[in-house]
């Protein structure tokens, strides 16, 4: 099956639990297969040197198995325990294995959520637990569309940054879903549930308008001042998924694009109060 | 003293950001750190950099030299500079 994920076409022999899109045409950037990930002793060369070109980069998913990406074949092998339920497997592939492979290929993937008004995107950066997904859910409950819940792929061009749609789901605790929506389809994903937001999902890339560093749990909500050069770069870089690839030129390019990103788009701290969905001026977030 | 081979750098709003290609680590320098970094890149010695800083900030030359040495030692310990 072919899927459109993170703005790219991917082919997968494992069902990912999201609708394959008619737009998913063209040569797949990555093929997802089932398979054994760790090579046997016989497969290893005598020198016991692991060659990334042959064996690829391996991602350990503690408790859930392994993923291995071989660039030469563009194959992402998924090796999860047979008894693992398909919902959890899909969740691991979508949220960890695919971003890992794309990062290896030099793409910029941010640990962030993103929303859009259909024309401009706003990105919420920040460490786990600050409320990035909650903000995205609040925006979608209002009048905005989802671009991504947890991992955002950005495309940095000379004068513009474009944000690509990831996939139409958001992960939340079941009680928060019940409090917010009654008419959405959900499925399990570890301690949270995956909420299908196909009807509120933007399927095309949009230019980035603003970026915020979310600081949750504050008593007073508000937007802070623009972060300085190095601090802005740190905000982007520390929220970028880094899978150092064997290619020096690819890492050089990633650094240049990240510094360009810091140049093109200011980052501002955003203090939020999530309790009882305290008022948030969405227009202000898009207009700063 | 010179910048290590694997280091990429760029100035953003007057502040230098660095990346070590060998390990993927990123670094950010403040205004004074940026000045010292750029002076090292331009081939100036620690003593020359300290003289410039002492003149510009109106501080004691020995104090400036101690600060420059300490900062350069820190950069060397992170393999950003090499002797």
């Amino acid at each position: 099956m072919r899927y459109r994920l993170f703005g790219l076409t991917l082919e997968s022999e494992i069902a990912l639990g999201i609708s394959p899109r008619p737009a998913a045409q063209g040569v797949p950037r990555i093929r997802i297969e089932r398979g054994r990930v760790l090579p046997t002793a016989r497969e290893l060369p005598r020198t016991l040197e692991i060659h990334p070109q042959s064996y690829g980069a391996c991602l350990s998913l503690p408790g859930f198995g392994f993923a291995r990406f071989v660039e030469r074949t563009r194959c992402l092998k998924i090796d999860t325990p047979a008894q693992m339920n398909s919902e959890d497997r899909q969740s691991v592939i979508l949220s960890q294995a695919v971003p890992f492979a794309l990062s290896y290929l030099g793409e910029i993937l941010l640990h962030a959520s993103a929303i859009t008004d259909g024309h401009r995107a706003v990105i919420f950066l920040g460490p786990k637990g600050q409320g990035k997904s909650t903000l995205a859910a609040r925006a979608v409950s209002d009048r905005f569309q989802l671009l991504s819940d947890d991992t955002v792929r950005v495309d940095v061009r000379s004068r513009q940054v474009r944000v690509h749609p990831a996939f139409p789901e958001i992960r939340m605790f079941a009680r928060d879903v019940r409090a917010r929506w009654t008419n959405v389809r959900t499925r399990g994903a570890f301690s949270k549930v995956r909420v299908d937001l196909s009807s509120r999902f933007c399927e095309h890339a949009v230019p980035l308008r603003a970026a915020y560093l979310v600081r949750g749990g504050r008593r007073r909500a508000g937007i802070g001042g623009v972060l300085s050069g190095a601090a802005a770069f740190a905000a982007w870089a520390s929220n970028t998924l880094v899978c150092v690839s064997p290619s020096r030129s690819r890492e050089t390019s990633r650094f240049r694009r990240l510094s360009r990103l810091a140049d093109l788009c200011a980052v501002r701290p955003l203090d939020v109060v999530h309790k009882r969905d305290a008022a948030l001026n969405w227009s202000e977030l898009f207009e700063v | 003293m010179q910048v290590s081979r694997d280091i990429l750098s760029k100035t953003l709003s007057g502040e230098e950001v660095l990346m070590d290609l060998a390990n993927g680590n990123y670094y950010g320098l403040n205004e004074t750190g940026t000045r010292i970094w750029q002076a090292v890149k331009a081939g100036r010695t620690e003593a020359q950099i300290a003289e410039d800083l002492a003149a510009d900030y109106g501080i004691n030359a020995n104090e400036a030299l101690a600060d420059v040495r300490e900062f350069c030692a820190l950069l060397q310990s992170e393999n950003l500079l090499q002797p």
Side-chain angles (χ1 to χ4, degrees):
Chain A
M1 272 173 290
R2 286 193 175 189
Y3 295 91
R4 192 86 183 150
L5 297 173
F6 302 99
L8 299 164
T9 299
L10 284 85
E11 195 168 70
S12 177
E13 67 172 31
I14 303 172
L16 299 179
I18 51 174
S19 310
R21 311 223 156 247
Q25 303 295 327
V27 180
R29 190 82 191 271
I30 292 173
R31 283 184 307 107
I32 300 169
E33 294 177 0
R34 282 191 190 85
R36 198 170 38 76
V37 158
L38 299 178
T40 61
R42 188 191 271 181
E43 287 173 323
L44 289 170
R46 281 181 174 277
T47 55
L48 289 180
E49 218 177 277
I50 303 282
H51 297 287
Q53 291 82 357
S54 309
Y55 293 99
C58 188
L59 172 69
S60 170
L61 309 161
F64 306 114
F66 299 93
R68 183 172 67 178
F69 181 64
V70 179
E71 186 178 356
R72 187 170 47 83
T73 56
R74 295 289 168 111
C75 178
L76 176 63
K77 282 221 165 102
I78 306 294
D79 188 358
T80 48
Q83 69 274 19
M84 188 177 189
N85 76 51
S86 62
E87 308 291 352
D88 287 352
R89 183 177 295 112
Q90 289 165 2
S91 199
V92 160
I93 293 172
L94 291 168
S95 60
Q96 296 189 49
V98 171
F100 155 75
L102 292 176
S103 171
Y104 187 88
L105 288 173
E107 298 287 349
I108 293 185
L109 286 137
L110 303 165
H111 179 219
S113 64
I115 57 161
T116 178
D117 60 1
H119 306 287
R120 303 162 299 175
V122 165
I123 282 182
F124 301 118
L125 301 160
K128 188 178 164 65
Q130 295 300 299
K132 299 184 296 296
S133 295
T134 307
L135 264 178
R138 286 173 65 179
V140 171
S141 298
D142 203 325
R143 58 189 187 278
F144 299 98
Q145 290 177 297
L146 179 73
L147 279 164
S148 179
D149 166 28
D150 190 56
T151 311
V152 177
R153 179 178 155 244
V154 294
D155 188 4
V156 185
R157 299 176 179 196
S158 58
R159 292 188 179 182
Q160 194 186 58
V161 181
R162 282 156 57 83
V163 183
H164 292 274
F167 51 91
E169 281 186 358
I170 203 163
R171 278 181 303 165
M172 298 173 72
F173 289 110
R175 62 170 188 276
D176 296 333
V177 178
R178 285 194 298 273
R180 194 171 297 281
W181 295 297
T182 52
N183 57 345
V184 290
R185 197 162 60 97
T186 63
R187 57 182 75 202
F190 308 116
S191 57
K192 295 184 175 178
V193 292
R194 295 162 61 190
V195 187
D196 182 352
L197 291 176
S198 300
S199 60
R200 298 168 175 92
F201 184 62
C202 175
E203 299 205 17
H204 57 86
V206 284
L208 176 61
R209 179 69 187 85
Y212 297 94
L213 192 59
V214 180
R215 302 189 297 192
R218 302 295 167 120
R219 285 165 172 244
R220 188 179 284 264
I223 300 172
V226 175
L227 297 184
S228 73
F233 179 82
W236 288 113
S238 63
N239 286 286
T240 300
L241 216 72
V242 176
C243 168
V244 178
S245 73
S247 160
R248 189 185 164 93
S249 63
R250 196 172 287 162
E251 289 311 315
T252 305
S253 159
R254 194 189 333 245
F255 173 77
R256 293 213 172 112
R257 281 176 290 148
L258 272 177
S259 48
R260 185 88 193 115
L261 184 55
D263 245 353
L264 287 171
C265 186
V267 181
R268 293 172 173 83
L270 173 65
D271 293 324
V272 287
V273 182
H274 288 303
K275 216 171 176 183
R276 297 185 301 276
D277 276 4
L280 198 61
N281 186 342
W282 294 108
S283 303
E284 192 184 358
L285 290 183
F286 277 87
E287 299 304 335
V288 289
Chain B
M1 201 165 42
Q2 58 185 5
V3 174
S4 302
R5 199 177 67 89
D6 280 339
I7 307 304
L8 300 174
S9 64
K10 183 163 171 64
T11 312
L12 294 172
S13 312
E15 295 177 342
E16 201 80 1
V17 291
L18 318 171
M19 182 199 181
D20 186 347
L21 277 173
N23 54 25
N25 287 344
Y26 292 108
Y27 302 84
L29 306 182
N30 64 12
E31 191 191 327
T32 316
T34 297
R35 231 184 119 169
I36 297 173
W37 176 264
Q38 288 172 346
V40 170
K41 271 177 86 175
R44 294 184 72 74
T45 64
E46 288 178 339
Q48 289 169 328
I49 299 168
E51 267 177 36
D52 294 345
L53 289 178
D56 290 355
Y57 291 103
I59 52 172
N60 179 287
N62 289 333
E63 205 178 298
L65 184 59
D67 287 345
V68 170
R69 282 188 173 146
E70 189 186 343
F71 184 67
C72 289
L74 181 67
L75 295 178
Q76 280 188 46
S77 69
E78 294 287 328
N79 293 319
L80 301 170
L81 290 182
Q82 56 189 37

